[in-house]
């Protein structure tokens, strides 16, 4: 691993820091899997449908554009940081690292409690303060509304495919969600910094039109889930099933008069 100057600066990765990010022989002599990994180390995920020639063309283009090395699973930057610190270098961790490309853990009802323990503690106050700084001129009232809408969106059961990637300094969380009023799927992402057991919200984003403000309903719902993971270890809301809802409706609601036989105009007897 290469050193850096005495002036404190952020750690940056080179192709020597990640195994397989540097190829020693001509590209066409490597396997497809090796070329895919080489591209992945530069933030490029080659589609599985690509043939070898297509991958080679993309490799050559990446080399011409000198695309930067990225932290594939979120751990290589921290490893280099620790090595340079032990060597006495003045270094800083990146304050806002990009989402890793690999190393994500799918969260299910079965493993949620165990994974939730690796997520730093997120409180409603922390989320409220973060939202207050991202809702523009609406200020504190807007932050409260955003948080309220976030809990309601989580309670509707629309957060799906929750995945987590954690290391010693950061916790990356992402999921998909469906809009409240129309079809489609949005991708939601949140970056948490770790300060002991307590979290700091570094950034958040969503694919929706309001997502760039980091304060849309979908981002707020992911915040709400983070708060609940720190308190009640609850992944999904306890929504009633369709059968139980129908049973309760049958027991509590009277039968509409339009569904009953006509009683106010009895038919005449024949004969």
């Amino acid at each position: 691993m290469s050193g850096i100057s005495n002036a404190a600066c952020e750690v940056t990765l080179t192709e020597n820091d990640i195994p397989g990010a540097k190829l020693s022989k001509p590209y066409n002599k490597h396997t497809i899997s090796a070329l895919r990994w080489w591209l992945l180390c530069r933030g490029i995920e080659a589609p599985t449908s690509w043939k070898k020639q297509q991958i080679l063309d993309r490799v050559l283009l990446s080399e011409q554009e000198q695309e930067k090395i990225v932290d594939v699973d979120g751990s290589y930057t921290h490893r280099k940081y620790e090595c340079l610190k032990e060597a006495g270098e003045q270094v800083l961790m990146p304050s806002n690292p990009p989402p890793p490309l690999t190393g994500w853990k799918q969260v299910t009802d079965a493993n949620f409690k165990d994974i939730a323990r690796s997520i730093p503690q997120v409180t409603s106050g922390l989320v409220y303060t973060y939202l207050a700084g991202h809702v523009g001129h609406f200020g504190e009232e807007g932050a409260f509304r955003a948080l309220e809408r976030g809990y309601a969106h989580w309670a509707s059961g629309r957060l799906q495919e929750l995945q987590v990637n954690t290391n010693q300094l950061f916790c990356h969380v992402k999921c998909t969600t469906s809009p409240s009023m129309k079809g489609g799927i949005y991708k939601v992402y949140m970056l948490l910094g770790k300060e002991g057991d307590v979290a700091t919200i570094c950034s958040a984003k969503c694919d929706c039109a309001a997502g760039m403000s980091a304060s849309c309903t979908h981002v707020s719902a992911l915040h709400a889930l983070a708060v609940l993971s720190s308190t009640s270890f609850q992944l999904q809301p306890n929504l009633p099933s369709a059968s139980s809802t129908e049973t309760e409706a049958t027991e509590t609601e009277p039968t509409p008069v339009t569904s009953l036989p006509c009683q106010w105009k009895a038919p005449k007897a024949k004969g």
Side-chain angles (χ1 to χ4, degrees):
M1 294 186 181
S2 60
I4 58 178
S5 63
N6 292 330
C9 60
E10 290 189 354
V11 175
T12 56
L13 295 175
T14 70
E15 62 182 9
N16 296 316
D17 297 321
I18 303 179
K22 183 178 182 180
L23 301 178
S24 57
K25 54 186 179 182
Y27 297 135
N28 58 358
K29 301 295 183 181
H30 288 275
T31 63
I32 291 180
S33 59
L35 295 173
R36 286 184 181 278
W37 177 256
W38 189 93
L39 287 172
L40 196 63
C41 292
R42 286 152 180 82
I44 304 162
E45 294 186 71
T48 55
S49 59
W50 277 12
K51 304 297 183 182
K52 186 170 184 178
Q53 187 57 50
Q54 292 174 292
I55 296 176
L56 284 170
D57 292 341
R58 188 62 183 88
V59 167
L60 293 173
L61 178 62
S62 177
E63 186 180 48
Q64 290 174 2
E65 296 181 352
Q66 297 182 346
E67 290 173 314
K68 295 181 179 179
I69 302 295
V70 301
D71 197 338
V72 180
D73 64 0
S75 67
Y76 290 100
T77 301
H78 186 264
R79 293 177 196 172
K80 184 171 183 178
Y81 170 77
E82 293 294 335
C83 289
L84 292 175
K85 277 195 68 176
E86 289 180 4
E89 298 280 359
Q90 299 295 320
V91 290
L92 298 172
M93 277 291 292
S95 57
N96 197 358
L101 300 176
T102 63
W104 292 90
K105 293 182 180 178
Q106 185 75 38
V107 182
T108 64
D109 290 326
N111 65 9
F112 179 64
K113 288 186 177 181
D114 294 330
I115 291 180
R117 292 186 177 93
S118 66
I119 300 176
Q121 185 177 5
V122 181
T123 64
S124 297
L126 177 67
V127 175
Y128 178 86
T129 302
Y130 176 82
L131 291 174
H134 291 78
V135 291
H137 63 278
F138 293 105
E140 295 183 355
E141 183 179 354
F144 177 78
R145 289 179 180 176
L147 186 57
E148 190 177 45
R149 290 196 303 267
Y151 275 102
H153 193 78
W154 169 83
S156 68
R158 289 190 175 93
L159 295 188
Q160 302 293 329
E161 300 180 11
L162 180 67
Q163 298 181 58
V164 175
N165 185 308
T166 61
N167 54 44
Q168 290 88 339
L169 297 177
F170 295 101
C171 177
H172 305 262
V173 185
K174 67 179 181 179
C175 71
T176 60
T177 186
S178 57
S180 304
M181 303 297 292
K182 59 182 180 179
I185 295 294
Y186 294 139
K187 295 179 180 179
V188 192
Y189 167 77
M190 175 173 61
L191 173 64
L192 300 174
K194 293 183 178 181
E195 294 183 2
D197 294 331
V198 181
T200 57
I201 302 176
C202 301
S203 64
K205 63 181 179 180
C206 175
D207 287 345
C208 74
M212 294 304 293
S213 67
S215 60
C216 65
T217 298
H218 316 116
V219 166
S220 300
L222 190 56
H223 288 324
L225 176 58
V227 173
L228 291 165
S229 70
S230 302
T231 54
S232 60
F233 297 105
Q234 189 175 0
L235 175 60
Q236 293 288 354
N238 297 319
L239 297 176
S241 62
S243 59
S244 64
T245 304
E246 292 174 0
T247 303
E248 291 176 3
T250 304
E251 293 176 351
T252 58
E253 296 181 6
T255 305
V257 294
T258 53
S259 299
L260 296 173
C262 180
Q263 297 177 354
W264 58 90
K265 188 177 180 181
K268 295 180 179 180
K270 294 182 179 179

Short mmCIF file of all heavy atoms in Angstrom, two decimals, residues 136-165:
data_model
loop_
_atom_site.label_atom_id
_atom_site.label_comp_id
_atom_site.label_asym_id
_atom_site.label_seq_id
_atom_site.Cartn_x
_atom_site.Cartn_y
_atom_site.Cartn_z
N GLY A 136 -35.75 22.36 4.05
CA GLY A 136 -35.81 23.72 3.54
C GLY A 136 -36.52 24.68 4.47
O GLY A 136 -36.34 24.64 5.70
N HIS A 137 -37.37 25.54 3.90
CA HIS A 137 -38.00 26.59 4.67
C HIS A 137 -39.09 26.09 5.60
O HIS A 137 -39.64 26.85 6.38
CB HIS A 137 -38.58 27.65 3.72
CG HIS A 137 -39.67 27.11 2.83
ND1 HIS A 137 -39.38 26.43 1.67
CD2 HIS A 137 -41.02 27.14 2.95
CE1 HIS A 137 -40.52 26.07 1.09
NE2 HIS A 137 -41.52 26.49 1.83
N PHE A 138 -39.43 24.78 5.53
CA PHE A 138 -40.47 24.26 6.41
C PHE A 138 -39.98 24.10 7.84
O PHE A 138 -40.77 24.02 8.77
CB PHE A 138 -40.99 22.92 5.87
CG PHE A 138 -41.73 23.06 4.58
CD1 PHE A 138 -41.14 22.66 3.39
CD2 PHE A 138 -42.99 23.60 4.53
CE1 PHE A 138 -41.80 22.78 2.18
CE2 PHE A 138 -43.68 23.73 3.33
CZ PHE A 138 -43.07 23.32 2.15
N GLY A 139 -38.67 23.99 8.02
CA GLY A 139 -38.09 23.98 9.35
C GLY A 139 -38.56 22.83 10.22
O GLY A 139 -38.78 21.72 9.76
N GLU A 140 -38.73 23.13 11.52
CA GLU A 140 -39.05 22.10 12.51
C GLU A 140 -40.41 21.46 12.24
O GLU A 140 -40.58 20.26 12.42
CB GLU A 140 -39.00 22.69 13.91
CG GLU A 140 -37.60 23.15 14.33
CD GLU A 140 -37.57 23.67 15.75
OE1 GLU A 140 -38.65 23.75 16.37
OE2 GLU A 140 -36.47 23.98 16.24
N GLU A 141 -41.37 22.25 11.82
CA GLU A 141 -42.70 21.70 11.53
C GLU A 141 -42.62 20.71 10.37
O GLU A 141 -43.24 19.64 10.39
CB GLU A 141 -43.67 22.82 11.19
CG GLU A 141 -45.10 22.32 10.95
CD GLU A 141 -46.06 23.45 10.63
OE1 GLU A 141 -45.64 24.62 10.70
OE2 GLU A 141 -47.22 23.15 10.29
N GLY A 142 -41.83 21.05 9.35
CA GLY A 142 -41.65 20.14 8.23
C GLY A 142 -40.95 18.86 8.63
O GLY A 142 -41.27 17.78 8.14
N ALA A 143 -39.97 18.95 9.55
CA ALA A 143 -39.27 17.77 10.03
C ALA A 143 -40.23 16.84 10.76
O ALA A 143 -40.17 15.61 10.60
CB ALA A 143 -38.12 18.18 10.94
N PHE A 144 -41.10 17.42 11.58
CA PHE A 144 -42.07 16.60 12.31
C PHE A 144 -43.00 15.89 11.34
O PHE A 144 -43.30 14.71 11.50
CB PHE A 144 -42.86 17.48 13.28
CG PHE A 144 -43.94 16.73 14.02
CD1 PHE A 144 -43.63 15.92 15.09
CD2 PHE A 144 -45.27 16.82 13.61
CE1 PHE A 144 -44.63 15.21 15.76
CE2 PHE A 144 -46.26 16.12 14.26
CZ PHE A 144 -45.94 15.32 15.35
N ARG A 145 -43.47 16.61 10.32
CA ARG A 145 -44.37 16.00 9.35
C ARG A 145 -43.67 14.90 8.57
O ARG A 145 -44.26 13.85 8.30
CB ARG A 145 -44.90 17.07 8.38
CG ARG A 145 -45.89 18.04 9.02
CD ARG A 145 -46.35 19.07 8.01
NE ARG A 145 -47.28 20.02 8.59
CZ ARG A 145 -47.79 21.06 7.94
NH1 ARG A 145 -47.41 21.30 6.69
NH2 ARG A 145 -48.65 21.88 8.54
N ALA A 146 -42.41 15.14 8.18
CA ALA A 146 -41.65 14.13 7.45
C ALA A 146 -41.47 12.86 8.28
O ALA A 146 -41.62 11.75 7.78
CB ALA A 146 -40.29 14.68 7.03
N LEU A 147 -41.16 13.03 9.56
CA LEU A 147 -40.99 11.88 10.44
C LEU A 147 -42.31 11.15 10.63
O LEU A 147 -42.36 9.91 10.63
CB LEU A 147 -40.42 12.33 11.79
CG LEU A 147 -40.06 11.23 12.79
CD1 LEU A 147 -39.06 10.26 12.17
CD2 LEU A 147 -39.49 11.83 14.06
N GLU A 148 -43.38 11.90 10.78
CA GLU A 148 -44.71 11.31 10.96
C GLU A 148 -45.11 10.51 9.71
O GLU A 148 -45.61 9.38 9.81
CB GLU A 148 -45.73 12.41 11.23
CG GLU A 148 -47.09 11.91 11.67
CD GLU A 148 -48.02 13.07 12.00
OE1 GLU A 148 -48.07 14.04 11.22
OE2 GLU A 148 -48.70 13.01 13.04
N ARG A 149 -44.86 11.08 8.53
CA ARG A 149 -45.17 10.36 7.29
C ARG A 149 -44.29 9.13 7.14
O ARG A 149 -44.72 8.11 6.59
CB ARG A 149 -44.99 11.30 6.09
CG ARG A 149 -46.02 12.39 5.98
CD ARG A 149 -45.99 13.02 4.58
NE ARG A 149 -44.68 13.55 4.26
CZ ARG A 149 -44.31 14.80 4.47
NH1 ARG A 149 -45.15 15.65 5.03
NH2 ARG A 149 -43.09 15.21 4.15
N GLY A 150 -43.03 9.22 7.60
CA GLY A 150 -42.13 8.07 7.52
C GLY A 150 -42.62 6.89 8.33
O GLY A 150 -42.63 5.75 7.86
N TYR A 151 -43.06 7.14 9.56
CA TYR A 151 -43.60 6.06 10.39
C TYR A 151 -44.85 5.46 9.74
O TYR A 151 -45.05 4.24 9.74
CB TYR A 151 -43.93 6.58 11.79
CG TYR A 151 -42.76 6.57 12.73
CD1 TYR A 151 -42.05 7.72 13.02
CD2 TYR A 151 -42.35 5.38 13.34
CE1 TYR A 151 -40.96 7.71 13.88
CE2 TYR A 151 -41.26 5.35 14.20
CZ TYR A 151 -40.58 6.52 14.47
OH TYR A 151 -39.50 6.51 15.33
N ALA A 152 -45.70 6.32 9.17
CA ALA A 152 -46.92 5.82 8.52
C ALA A 152 -46.58 4.97 7.30
O ALA A 152 -47.23 3.94 7.06
CB ALA A 152 -47.80 7.01 8.12
N HIS A 153 -45.56 5.37 6.53
CA HIS A 153 -45.16 4.60 5.35
C HIS A 153 -44.59 3.26 5.76
O HIS A 153 -44.86 2.23 5.13
CB HIS A 153 -44.14 5.40 4.54
CG HIS A 153 -43.90 4.85 3.16
ND1 HIS A 153 -44.77 5.05 2.13
CD2 HIS A 153 -42.89 4.09 2.66
CE1 HIS A 153 -44.31 4.45 1.04
NE2 HIS A 153 -43.17 3.85 1.35
N TRP A 154 -43.77 3.24 6.83
CA TRP A 154 -43.26 1.96 7.33
C TRP A 154 -44.41 1.08 7.81
O TRP A 154 -44.45 -0.13 7.53
CB TRP A 154 -42.28 2.20 8.49
CG TRP A 154 -41.93 0.93 9.20
CD1 TRP A 154 -41.00 0.01 8.85
CD2 TRP A 154 -42.55 0.42 10.39
NE1 TRP A 154 -40.99 -1.04 9.73
CE2 TRP A 154 -41.94 -0.81 10.69
CE3 TRP A 154 -43.56 0.89 11.24
CZ2 TRP A 154 -42.30 -1.58 11.79
CZ3 TRP A 154 -43.92 0.13 12.33
CH2 TRP A 154 -43.30 -1.10 12.60
N ALA A 155 -45.37 1.67 8.53
CA ALA A 155 -46.49 0.91 9.07
C ALA A 155 -47.36 0.32 7.98
O ALA A 155 -48.09 -0.66 8.22
CB ALA A 155 -47.33 1.79 9.99
N SER A 156 -47.29 0.88 6.76
CA SER A 156 -48.09 0.34 5.66
C SER A 156 -47.48 -0.93 5.08
O SER A 156 -48.09 -1.57 4.22
CB SER A 156 -48.23 1.40 4.56
OG SER A 156 -46.98 1.63 3.93
N GLY A 157 -46.25 -1.27 5.51
CA GLY A 157 -45.61 -2.50 5.05
C GLY A 157 -44.98 -2.41 3.68
O GLY A 157 -44.77 -3.43 3.01
N ARG A 158 -44.63 -1.19 3.24
CA ARG A 158 -44.11 -1.02 1.87
C ARG A 158 -42.59 -1.15 1.77
O ARG A 158 -42.05 -1.19 0.67
CB ARG A 158 -44.54 0.34 1.32
CG ARG A 158 -46.02 0.42 0.98
CD ARG A 158 -46.33 1.70 0.22
NE ARG A 158 -47.70 1.75 -0.22
CZ ARG A 158 -48.68 2.31 0.46
NH1 ARG A 158 -48.41 2.87 1.64
NH2 ARG A 158 -49.91 2.32 0.01
N LEU A 159 -41.86 -1.16 2.87
CA LEU A 159 -40.41 -1.33 2.80
C LEU A 159 -40.07 -2.79 2.55
O LEU A 159 -40.48 -3.67 3.31
CB LEU A 159 -39.75 -0.84 4.09
CG LEU A 159 -39.86 0.65 4.42
CD1 LEU A 159 -38.99 0.98 5.62
CD2 LEU A 159 -39.46 1.52 3.24
N GLN A 160 -39.31 -3.06 1.49
CA GLN A 160 -38.98 -4.43 1.11
C GLN A 160 -37.49 -4.53 0.81
O GLN A 160 -36.80 -3.53 0.62
CB GLN A 160 -39.80 -4.85 -0.12
CG GLN A 160 -41.30 -4.77 0.06
CD GLN A 160 -41.84 -5.76 1.08
OE1 GLN A 160 -41.27 -6.86 1.25
NE2 GLN A 160 -42.92 -5.41 1.75
N GLU A 161 -37.00 -5.77 0.76
CA GLU A 161 -35.61 -6.08 0.35
C GLU A 161 -34.60 -5.26 1.14
O GLU A 161 -33.67 -4.66 0.59
CB GLU A 161 -35.42 -5.82 -1.15
CG GLU A 161 -36.33 -6.67 -2.03
CD GLU A 161 -36.13 -6.41 -3.52
OE1 GLU A 161 -35.14 -5.74 -3.87
OE2 GLU A 161 -36.96 -6.86 -4.31
N LEU A 162 -34.75 -5.26 2.46
CA LEU A 162 -33.82 -4.53 3.32
C LEU A 162 -32.47 -5.24 3.34
O LEU A 162 -32.39 -6.44 3.55
CB LEU A 162 -34.38 -4.43 4.74
CG LEU A 162 -33.52 -3.69 5.76
CD1 LEU A 162 -33.44 -2.21 5.41
CD2 LEU A 162 -34.07 -3.87 7.16
N GLN A 163 -31.37 -4.47 3.12
CA GLN A 163 -30.01 -5.00 3.14
C GLN A 163 -29.12 -4.07 3.95
O GLN A 163 -29.32 -2.86 3.97
CB GLN A 163 -29.46 -5.15 1.72
CG GLN A 163 -30.24 -6.12 0.85
CD GLN A 163 -29.64 -6.26 -0.53
OE1 GLN A 163 -28.47 -6.63 -0.68
NE2 GLN A 163 -30.43 -5.97 -1.55
N VAL A 164 -28.12 -4.67 4.62
CA VAL A 164 -27.23 -3.92 5.49
C VAL A 164 -25.79 -4.32 5.20
O VAL A 164 -25.50 -5.49 4.93
CB VAL A 164 -27.56 -4.19 6.98
CG1 VAL A 164 -26.55 -3.51 7.90
CG2 VAL A 164 -28.97 -3.72 7.32
N ASN A 165 -24.89 -3.34 5.26
CA ASN A 165 -23.45 -3.58 5.12
C ASN A 165 -22.76 -2.76 6.20
O ASN A 165 -22.85 -1.53 6.19
CB ASN A 165 -22.97 -3.17 3.72
CG ASN A 165 -21.51 -3.50 3.47
OD1 ASN A 165 -20.64 -3.13 4.25
ND2 ASN A 165 -21.24 -4.17 2.36
#
